[in-house]
Amino acid sequence: MEEKDKKQIEEETTEEKKKTNEDTSKNSQETSSSNDSDKSTETEDEKDELKTEKEQLEVLLKAIKAVEEEKRKKGQKRGPRESRKIIALEFGGAFHHNVYLNFIAFYMLNLTLIYSIVEIFNFGRFQNLETLLLYVAIYTVLETFFKAYILMNHIQFVLKTFGFIFYFGYLSLFYIIDVYIFPNSVGFISETLFVVFVGMFVVFRYILTQLIKNIMLRMR
């Protein structure tokens, strides 16, 4: 009798072990399946995000292509003389594809406008000629890097704000140069006139560049 009881006990223990092993295997399978489902959901979310980013990029590319096609059509309507390549003079654009010529052209234009606006409208004063030349040179360098950064990384803001993001950038650059680089060498009469000066600088530069562009078109 004792031997039978022992056998029964052993059989029961083996069956319990089998059941526990089966339960643990089931639990492990369930956890693995849940992990796989979580991973699949994560990958699906990432795919959805990538799809939305691709769609946004495609929309921007289509908009840029549409603008380029409209410019080409306008150039064809104007005739072969006016459709030739010329120096581009536009708000937030560039003078020339050559970096050095572009910088020199911007420097000369900025120098002429900054000095003329400050002197004619009496918005402030420059301590001497060297300060004026260095002031305009530093501003032109900062403006070149600022425009390159915006056009390369934040073109959507340029399209959404119709280019007015450049005005706020130019205002910030003038403020940094005036307060931190030339605190005692350049003096504007008041903060209001300083803001008006930057606005007049942007508007006059745009008008002047368009006039130069039209003159060059007529000469060709």
Side-chain angles (χ1 to χ4, degrees):
M1 292 290 290
E2 291 179 356
E3 290 179 356
K4 288 181 180 181
D5 293 334
K6 287 181 180 179
K7 287 180 180 180
Q8 287 179 356
I9 291 166
E10 288 177 356
E11 289 176 356
E12 289 177 356
T13 53
T14 52
E15 287 179 357
E16 288 178 356
K17 287 180 180 179
K18 287 180 181 180
K19 287 181 180 180
T20 52
N21 291 325
E22 289 177 356
D23 293 332
T24 53
S25 63
K26 286 181 180 179
N27 290 325
S28 62
Q29 289 177 357
E30 289 177 355
T31 52
S32 62
S33 62
S34 63
N35 291 325
D36 293 331
S37 62
D38 292 334
K39 288 180 180 178
S40 63
T41 52
E42 288 179 357
T43 53
E44 288 177 356
D45 292 335
E46 290 176 355
K47 288 179 181 178
D48 293 333
E49 289 179 357
L50 290 172
K51 284 182 182 178
T52 53
E53 289 178 356
K54 286 181 180 179
E55 289 175 355
Q56 289 177 357
L57 289 173
E58 287 177 356
V59 171
L60 287 173
L61 289 172
K62 287 180 181 179
I64 293 169
K65 286 181 181 178
V67 172
E68 289 178 354
E69 287 178 357
E70 287 180 359
K71 286 184 178 180
R72 287 175 185 174
K73 289 179 181 178
K74 289 180 181 179
Q76 290 176 358
K77 290 179 181 178
R78 288 176 182 173
R81 283 186 70 188
E82 295 184 359
S83 62
R84 293 177 184 175
K85 290 183 179 179
I86 62 168
I87 295 174
L89 298 169
E90 294 180 1
F91 180 68
F95 280 99
H96 199 267
H97 62 275
N98 190 322
V99 178
Y100 301 104
L101 291 176
N102 184 47
F103 180 80
I104 293 170
F106 260 113
Y107 177 76
M108 296 301 295
L109 182 62
N110 291 339
L111 178 63
T112 303
L113 286 175
I114 290 172
Y115 179 75
S116 300
I117 294 170
V118 171
E119 289 296 322
I120 292 172
F121 296 97
N122 195 19
F123 285 154
R125 60 173 181 79
F126 290 95
Q127 190 173 7
N128 48 43
L129 181 61
E130 291 79 8
T131 302
L132 174 64
L133 296 175
L134 188 60
Y135 183 96
V136 178
I138 293 172
Y139 171 76
T140 306
V141 171
L142 294 176
E143 181 189 7
T144 303
F145 283 106
F146 169 73
K147 284 193 296 187
Y149 173 77
I150 292 295
L151 292 173
M152 290 177 66
N153 298 311
H154 301 287
I155 186 66
Q156 66 272 16
F157 291 111
V158 178
L159 298 174
K160 289 178 181 179
T161 60
F162 300 100
F164 282 101
I165 188 174
F166 290 110
Y167 170 74
F168 298 106
Y170 300 157
L171 184 64
S172 300
L173 292 178
F174 275 114
Y175 179 79
I176 291 168
I177 295 171
D178 184 62
V179 174
Y180 295 102
I181 300 176
F182 297 100
N184 298 318
S185 300
V186 181
F188 286 90
I189 296 173
S190 66
E191 291 81 2
T192 304
L193 291 179
F194 175 75
V195 175
V196 174
F197 159 74
V198 178
M200 293 177 67
F201 169 76
V202 173
V203 173
F204 287 163
R205 187 172 68 173
Y206 177 75
I207 295 170
L208 184 60
T209 51
Q210 293 300 316
L211 290 173
I212 295 171
K213 183 178 178 179
N214 293 328
I215 292 170
M216 293 181 66
L217 284 171
R218 292 175 184 174
M219 291 175 62
R220 288 180 175 272

